[in-house]
Amino acid sequence: MKKAQPADFPKFEAEMIEVWDKEKTFAASLKQRSSAPLFSFYDGPPFANGLPHYGHVVPVTIKDSITRYKTMRGYLVPRRNGWDTHGLPVEYEIERELGLKSKREIHKYGVDKFIEACRGSVFKYRQEWEQFFVRLGRWADSSDAYSTLDDDYMESVWWVINELNKKQLLEETFRSMPYCPRCATPLSNFEVNQNYKDNVPDPSVYVKFELADVPNTYLLAWTTTPWTLPANAALAVDAGADYVTVETHDKSRLILAKKRLEVLDLRKSEYKVVETRKGAKLVGQRYKSLYDFAEITAEEEGRAHRVYQDDSVSLDDGSGILHVAPRYGETDLELGMKEGLPLIESVDADGLMAKNMGQFAGTWFKDADDEIIADLTKKGSLFAAETFNHTYPFCWRCQSPLIYFAISTWVVKVTEITKQLVRNNKEIKWVPEHIGGGRFGNWLADARDWSISRNRFWGNPLPIWKCADGHVTVVGSIAELKEKAVDSKLVGDLHRPAIDKVKIHCGECKQEATRIEEVLDCWFESGSMPYAQHHYPFENEKLFKESYPADFIAEGLDQTRGWFYTLHVLAAALYDKPAFKNVIVNGLILAADGQKLSKRLKNYPPLEEVFTTTGADVLRFFMISSPAVNGEDVRFSKELLEDVQRNVFLRLWNVYSFFSTYAEIDGWKPPKKLAEPKSANVLDKWLVARLNQTIAETTKQADGYQIARAVRPLQALIDDLSNWYVRRSRRRFWKSEDDGDKKAAYETLHYALTRICQLLAPWSPFIADKMYRELTAGTDLPKSVHLTDWPEAGRNDKADKEVIAQMAGLREAVVIGLAQRAEAGVKVRQPLSQAVIKTPAKLSAGFTEIAADELNVKKITQQTAKTVSAKIDTKLTQELKQEGAARDIIRQIQNARKQAGLAVDDRIKLGLKSDSQEITNAIHTHSYLIAAETLAEEVLYEAFGDSVNVRLGGDEITISLQKAAS
């Protein structure tokens, strides 16, 4: 067996990447499980038009770790890459590249050219992504990747749409939607929830609406959206609340809710209440419009600019009188539709003040706020204006402020399947558990209908055609489209604008029907991946049914409002079952100071730097042993990575290096088969018991998808292996005679290291395979650790538990005893006469020998007690002092060996000389001990050749040594 190389983890990882590629290890791991039970894994497809970053490290590591683990557990785990290619993320990047600032500019540039630019960009960084996967150790089949722009994928999505339509869950509706005026498209509620910002400054204005029949008397209304005031159609009050009329210092009168009188303090003017009445008394009163820009019908005129009752009126802020612009708010539209109010448009679909808005026309809606406030001030219609900070939604891609905009949109009627959503969620195992019942479960219980249409360009076109009479035809396949097409030759590229040219025969009236212009929400496409990745139901029916629902998925916390949600909704709508059985939700990676990772602040090490310094294995282990894999945020820094590298990987590699060094010296070879060793030595028994304990606990936690809990016992085992087993067993490897105990030590340590490689393999796959291959070279074991079965926990029985308990009590007693030595000022190398230790479990002879050696006492008296304790006799005799001096001399000789560059197994000729009689006596008395510990073939009491002088206390000793001729 060869001695281990010096630790260079990035170098080892590069070697293993080449080996895996050459040997096709991933393919081999699948092939050997080809007849095994299927473990179904869905991967959330990322966008490849942006570079991978730390936010991707945790979910990618979780996915790879669990799928590797399940493979070792005996399952066939296919892993397939997928790519999100449609939607606003792509369009926005292309708009930036082309310098396009609005939807209108896209039309002017040319939709066909814009589409081609989008198509050409979606795999811009695919190579970097695939290299990222390789470098991080992620195994997946990149040669069989699917993309949401593939015809097969798009056709399956059409099938999903058609199925929803058949189930009457698809509907065109006119609604007030969260809307991005810059992107000129509605968004779904869960998209809006992804990007709320705090402390956003907005105007807060109180506007005076003069009563039509009572001059100089005004209804005082409040709004934070001055740009909607030219679209005012009504005012609303709480019918049951008290409203007061107050007379101000200028004899004008204002009407507002009694509960909101504090508003008048904004003008710091004196006033008196002249009348109090219920809101119901105000209902029906007419007032003068602020602006007369919009043309409305005579019928609408009779209903507009009146006071209405509405339950949504709040008395906790504002004035208690609500400004109603039906085009721009959910409750506004609801009241407007109920009362037949005009839908006046002050802002158009592009976020500009409408053409008929007089002096404001063409102004960006937020810029119009100041202009409208100034104009109302000039007219005397503004009571007060101030700025306040609040939480406000912004577009998740372009970061523009959103508005609520009444628009025709296609929705999935999620509100009709809420019970199924909540019920199916109870079948899913969530890690952490609280997300399933809390964040996700609460969201489902209050789920809104899902707007799936986007008034955009680059996306899967909604397969919906309309004729002049408004009849709707939903197409569910390419074959159906060709069959119904007026000219089937036009059916080719399924994207816009090509698809828009395809006319079909209306199914009801036989007129020609034209496709609606909208494309699908890209989240709908990713939520369709269980079906579309297999081109189901057009092919792969058996494969789909075997793999649905997924056994496992994983993504970040934000996907409770994204991919997790869309998967769940479509699964409930189509099959009334969950789309996945187990899910791990990860938290965010933060900088060491708790801030978000920022390129500008440079508060984190570049990812490539981590790969080339500490390595991917260390990064992976840090992430999956952290709270990040349990939905919590984790702080991250180069120093924390170095801690993991030092305390886990270097520690493990040093143990392996120690083992391989002596194995090479002794010519020890590993057994052909791996079997639990039998040994009489209590250290060996304890190590095997600890190994079985760790295997059992790691397996239990990994089976429960608790991967941080799965790897922490492994970290503790590596610490025990290094700082206890190897430290206690060094002499067993050093000794020259090849007795049974030495053989047992080799077999036990080899077995433990090999099993640890298996336990480490899913989480940190590079070093696990590197070490495993070197440990098992020349055996009959599989050539890669990733081709082995997950280890069984051996006995892990009562005997194992007793051994572990005895060693735990012993080690605790040793800590207490060493603390007593330190308090008494007696160094550990100084032997003492005796110690009494008390432990809950009775210690056998092997354990008391260890305790005596650790405490460096001649005799151990052990007693049983409920609590652990130790009492050391610190009195020193002359004999004890001599032996202490001998051990100090041994330490100095070992230092001299290192300085001389001697190998650990080199025999030496040793000379020791001192003018101190005490030291000379110690050398003579303990010459055998000194020779044995330092591999000295002979000890001379004189100096020779090159020597070093060292001090022991107040005396000096000369040490001479050279490699022995033999």
Side-chain angles (χ1 to χ4, degrees):
M1 190 169 190
K2 292 183 179 179
K3 180 181 177 181
Q5 306 165 51
D8 187 341
F9 301 118
K11 178 186 174 184
F12 296 162
E13 291 169 6
E15 289 174 7
M16 294 316 306
I17 288 171
E18 289 185 8
V19 170
W20 292 344
D21 184 56
K22 180 181 177 181
E23 296 181 358
K24 310 297 181 194
T25 312
F26 173 46
S29 74
L30 294 174
K31 184 178 180 180
Q32 74 173 17
R33 305 292 188 193
S34 58
S35 59
L38 179 70
F39 181 85
S40 174
F41 163 65
Y42 292 164
D43 190 8
F47 284 99
N49 68 328
L51 289 168
H53 51 73
Y54 277 108
H56 301 109
V57 170
V58 182
V60 168
T61 300
I62 291 171
K63 295 169 189 177
D64 185 66
S65 296
I66 289 294
T67 51
R68 284 180 183 272
Y69 172 73
K70 288 297 181 180
T71 300
M72 293 181 74
R73 289 285 278 158
Y75 293 93
L76 171 64
V77 190
R79 280 150 273 180
R80 189 181 183 195
N81 276 349
W83 304 104
D84 245 342
T85 58
H86 287 148
L88 278 179
V90 179
E91 289 197 37
Y92 182 61
E93 290 301 317
I94 296 304
E95 287 180 61
R96 288 174 59 188
E97 287 181 18
L98 298 175
L100 303 175
K101 298 180 180 178
S102 69
K103 193 173 172 181
R104 291 178 182 178
E105 292 188 14
I106 294 174
H107 280 289
K108 191 180 296 184
Y109 175 77
V111 173
D112 55 344
K113 291 193 293 182
F114 182 75
I115 290 294
E116 286 311 304
C118 290
R119 195 194 307 269
S121 77
V122 292
F123 296 121
K124 182 177 181 180
Y125 296 111
R126 179 171 179 168
Q127 186 175 350
E128 285 82 355
W129 270 93
E130 290 178 348
Q131 183 56 38
F132 167 70
F133 290 154
V134 169
R135 190 62 194 84
L136 195 60
R138 165 85 186 277
W139 274 358
D141 187 357
S142 58
S143 65
D144 187 32
Y146 69 85
S147 304
T148 57
L149 58 69
D150 295 338
D151 285 353
D152 285 354
Y153 194 100
M154 294 173 70
E155 184 177 28
S156 291
V157 175
W158 283 13
W159 170 80
V160 174
I161 292 289
N162 196 33
E163 289 297 299
L164 295 176
N165 185 56
K166 289 177 183 177
K167 295 174 182 290
Q168 299 183 334
L169 293 174
L170 182 69
E171 178 184 54
E172 183 181 23
T173 182
F174 185 77
R175 295 192 180 191
S176 184
M177 298 291 302
Y179 185 90
C180 176
R182 189 242 168 256
C183 297
T185 187
L187 302 176
S188 59
N189 283 303
F190 66 81
E191 287 178 294
V192 174
N193 272 272
Q194 288 189 340
N195 198 26
Y196 271 92
K197 296 183 180 180
D198 296 327
N199 298 316
V200 177
D202 261 328
S204 169
V205 298
Y206 293 85
V207 183
K208 295 157 55 178
F209 291 84
E210 188 173 15
L211 290 175
D213 303 324
V214 187
N216 208 31
T217 299
Y218 303 87
L219 294 157
L220 189 63
W222 176 66
T223 184
T224 59
T225 56
W227 53 270
T228 64
L229 288 169
N232 174 266
L235 297 174
V237 297
D238 180 343
D242 289 329
Y243 285 79
V244 295
T245 302
V246 301
E247 186 173 281
T248 63
H249 67 284
D250 61 0
K251 302 304 180 183
S252 64
R253 295 189 171 192
L254 300 175
I255 300 171
L256 72 162
K258 182 178 181 180
K259 193 176 178 181
R260 302 302 304 157
L261 272 171
E262 65 190 60
V263 167
L264 301 180
D265 294 336
L266 292 172
R267 290 286 294 269
K268 294 184 172 53
S269 58
E270 294 183 3
Y271 64 87
K272 63 179 179 179
V273 176
V274 296
E275 184 181 359
T276 301
R277 51 185 154 172
K278 293 294 183 184
K281 295 292 185 180
L282 295 172
V283 173
Q285 293 203 36
R286 295 182 59 83
Y287 61 88
K288 295 178 182 179
S289 174
L290 295 175
Y291 295 102
D292 295 316
F293 295 139
E295 294 183 6
I296 59 178
T297 66
E299 184 178 355
E300 290 173 333
E301 179 66 42
R303 299 190 184 99
H305 304 122
R306 289 181 179 273
V307 177
Y308 291 88
Q309 186 274 331
D310 193 84
D311 293 337
S312 66
V313 174
S314 171
L315 300 179
D316 295 327
D317 51 24
S319 64
I321 298 178
L322 182 68
H323 147 62
V324 179
R327 194 88 184 182
Y328 305 106
E330 288 185 278
T331 57
D332 298 56
L333 181 62
E334 187 177 339
L335 180 63
M337 299 296 284
K338 175 184 173 184
E339 303 294 348
L341 299 174
L343 303 182
I344 302 169
E345 185 175 275
S346 61
V347 171
D348 66 17
D350 293 311
L352 303 177
M353 297 300 288
K355 293 179 181 178
N356 62 346
M357 288 291 109
Q359 69 268 34
F360 311 124
T363 304
W364 176 249
F365 76 104
K366 289 303 292 180
D367 294 338
D369 279 345
D370 289 341
E371 295 181 22
I372 292 169
I373 290 171
D375 184 65
L376 293 176
T377 300
K378 183 178 177 181
K379 290 179 176 180
S381 297
L382 196 72
F383 174 75
E386 57 180 350
T387 298
F388 84 124
N389 294 326
H390 63 152
T391 302
Y392 195 87
F394 287 74
C395 178
W396 65 290
R397 274 300 158 185
C398 76
Q399 304 302 316
S400 295
L402 300 182
I403 63 175
Y404 270 82
F405 190 66
I407 191 173
S408 177
T409 186
W410 288 84
V411 300
V412 175
K413 294 191 283 185
V414 177
T415 49
E416 295 194 8
I417 58 171
T418 301
K419 288 183 180 179
Q420 293 96 304
L421 293 174
V422 173
R423 183 181 66 243
N424 294 342
N425 183 43
K426 293 177 181 178
E427 298 180 26
I428 299 171
K429 176 178 177 59
W430 286 86
V431 177
E433 184 179 2
H434 68 81
I435 289 179
R439 181 184 174 94
F440 192 74
N442 293 337
W443 177 255
L444 293 179
D446 296 324
R448 311 285 291 277
D449 288 344
W450 174 14
S451 170
I452 61 169
S453 60
R454 298 290 177 266
N455 300 69
R456 294 296 302 186
F457 308 98
W458 177 241
N460 193 334
L462 271 165
I464 299 172
W465 276 256
K466 271 188 183 182
C467 69
D469 290 342
H471 298 140
V472 171
T473 302
V474 179
V475 174
S477 70
I478 295 172
E480 182 185 351
L481 179 59
K482 289 180 177 179
E483 180 185 330
K484 294 180 176 178
V486 174
D487 183 357
S488 62
K489 294 178 182 178
L490 292 176
V491 180
D493 182 7
L494 301 184
H495 292 90
R496 298 188 70 187
I499 191 70
D500 298 336
K501 298 173 184 176
V502 179
K503 311 285 187 188
I504 70 170
H505 297 292
C506 176
E508 293 190 41
C509 64
K510 305 305 178 185
Q511 295 183 76
E512 285 191 4
T514 302
R515 198 194 72 83
I516 63 173
E517 74 157 21
E518 290 93 338
V519 297
L520 268 167
D521 173 13
C522 63
W523 289 101
F524 188 98
E525 296 183 64
S526 60
S528 300
M529 66 80 61
Y531 330 100
Q533 69 168 336
H534 298 307
H535 194 212
Y536 178 82
F538 306 102
E539 55 182 322
N540 298 315
E541 181 176 355
K542 182 174 182 291
L543 175 60
F544 166 72
K545 289 183 176 179
E546 288 176 346
S547 61
Y548 186 83
D551 289 299
F552 169 67
I553 65 171
E555 289 295 343
L557 187 62
D558 57 328
Q559 295 305 321
T560 53
R561 302 289 190 270
W563 190 53
F564 298 155
Y565 177 73
T566 60
L567 284 173
H568 193 69
V569 167
L570 293 182
L574 294 174
Y575 295 112
D576 191 16
K577 61 169 64 173
F580 46 91
K581 300 174 185 176
N582 301 281
V583 54
I584 296 178
V585 185
N586 67 267
L588 293 176
I589 307 303
L590 305 176
D593 58 4
Q595 296 187 68
K596 289 184 178 180
L597 300 183
S598 166
K599 286 184 179 179
R600 180 180 59 83
L601 296 175
K602 296 181 179 179
N603 58 0
Y604 63 93
L607 192 53
E608 190 55 41
E609 179 185 310
V610 168
F611 284 151
T612 56
T613 54
T614 54
D617 273 339
V618 174
L619 179 62
R620 286 174 61 125
F621 198 93
F622 170 81
M623 294 300 184
I624 62 173
S625 61
S626 78
V629 296
N630 203 42
E632 300 176 37
D633 297 343
V634 65
R635 297 189 180 195
F636 169 76
S637 70
K638 183 179 179 181
E639 290 72 24
L640 291 171
L641 284 183
E642 290 171 347
D643 285 345
V644 172
Q645 184 184 56
R646 181 173 54 256
N647 294 323
V648 180
F649 293 89
L650 276 173
R651 184 168 288 167
L652 177 61
W653 190 259
N654 287 340
V655 171
Y656 169 58
S657 181
F658 168 84
F659 170 78
S660 63
T661 297
Y662 286 97
E664 183 182 49
I665 291 169
D666 289 333
W668 185 87
K669 293 182 179 180
K672 292 292 184 179
K673 304 289 185 183
L674 193 66
E676 187 173 292
K678 305 297 181 184
S679 172
N681 190 297
V682 293
L683 276 168
D684 296 339
K685 290 180 179 179
W686 170 79
L687 180 58
V688 171
R690 279 286 290 115
L691 181 63
N692 287 332
Q693 181 189 48
T694 302
I695 293 171
E697 183 62 17
T698 295
T699 305
K700 173 186 173 183
Q701 297 301 340
D703 282 348
Y705 298 91
Q706 299 284 354
I707 52 181
R709 297 179 190 172
V711 299
R712 286 171 193 158
L714 179 56
Q715 186 172 356
L717 176 64
I718 291 170
D719 182 73
D720 277 351
L721 179 69
S722 172
N723 292 326
W724 190 251
Y725 180 82
V726 170
R727 185 169 65 77
R728 291 294 324 150
S729 298
R730 284 185 182 276
R731 290 190 182 88
R732 302 170 68 196
F733 293 92
W734 288 346
K735 59 188 178 183
S736 57
E737 66 273 16
D738 190 10
D739 60 8
D741 184 59
K742 186 172 187 176
K743 180 175 179 290
Y746 271 121
E747 290 176 352
T748 302
L749 185 50
H750 176 266
Y751 177 77
L753 284 169
T754 306
R755 287 300 191 205
I756 286 172
C757 288
Q758 291 179 293
L759 294 176
L760 190 60
W763 330 114
S764 295
F766 296 103
I767 189 65
D769 206 16
K770 167 75 173 175
M771 189 183 300
Y772 169 88
R773 287 169 181 264
E774 295 185 7
L775 283 164
T776 60
T779 71
D780 295 335
L781 298 171
K783 67 168 61 176
S784 170
V785 73
H786 303 297
L787 300 177
T788 67
D789 292 335
W790 185 255
E792 296 292 332
R795 295 194 316 270
N796 195 32
D797 58 7
K798 182 180 179 182
D800 274 1
K801 292 179 173 62
E802 286 178 355
V803 168
I804 291 170
Q806 287 184 69
M807 194 67 84
L810 180 155
R811 293 176 71 179
E812 187 177 348
V814 165
V815 170
I816 295 170
L818 292 176
Q820 289 178 15
R821 291 186 71 117
E823 188 177 348
V826 181
K827 56 192 175 184
V828 178
R829 285 187 302 278
Q830 173 60 61
L832 295 172
S833 59
Q834 63 179 338
V836 177
I837 62 173
K838 296 180 180 180
T839 59
K842 176 67 178 174
L843 301 183
S844 62
F847 288 97
T848 55
E849 287 172 13
I850 293 172
D853 194 48
E854 281 290 308
L855 293 172
N856 199 3
V857 297
K858 300 298 181 181
K859 179 185 175 184
I860 287 285
T861 301
Q862 193 258 334
Q863 301 170 355
T864 56
K866 290 183 178 181
T867 58
V868 177
S869 65
K871 178 64 177 175
I872 294 184
D873 183 352
T874 57
K875 295 176 184 177
L876 287 175
T877 65
Q878 187 61 32
E879 291 79 4
L880 291 173
K881 288 179 180 179
Q882 272 193 358
E883 187 177 345
R887 293 194 178 277
D888 279 337
I889 292 167
I890 290 169
R891 181 174 65 88
Q892 296 294 348
I893 297 169
Q894 301 290 26
N895 290 339
R897 283 181 62 104
K898 289 180 182 178
Q899 291 172 11
L902 293 171
V904 293
D905 61 327
D906 284 342
R907 301 284 163 173
I908 63 171
K909 175 184 176 182
L910 177 63
L912 300 172
K913 188 175 188 311
S914 176
D915 293 334
S916 167
Q917 190 60 47
E918 285 188 11
I919 292 178
T920 301
N921 290 341
I923 295 170
H924 281 279
T925 304
H926 297 285
S927 59
Y928 179 80
L929 174 66
I930 293 170
E933 291 288 325
T934 62
L935 299 185
E937 290 193 346
E938 57 179 322
V939 179
L940 304 178
Y941 304 106
E942 60 184 28
F944 58 85
D946 294 332
S947 302
V948 292
N949 294 323
V950 296
R951 298 196 69 81
L952 292 180
D955 299 316
E956 192 172 86
I957 181 173
T958 300
I959 300 174
S960 306
L961 55 82
Q962 65 183 35
K963 186 175 178 181
S966 60

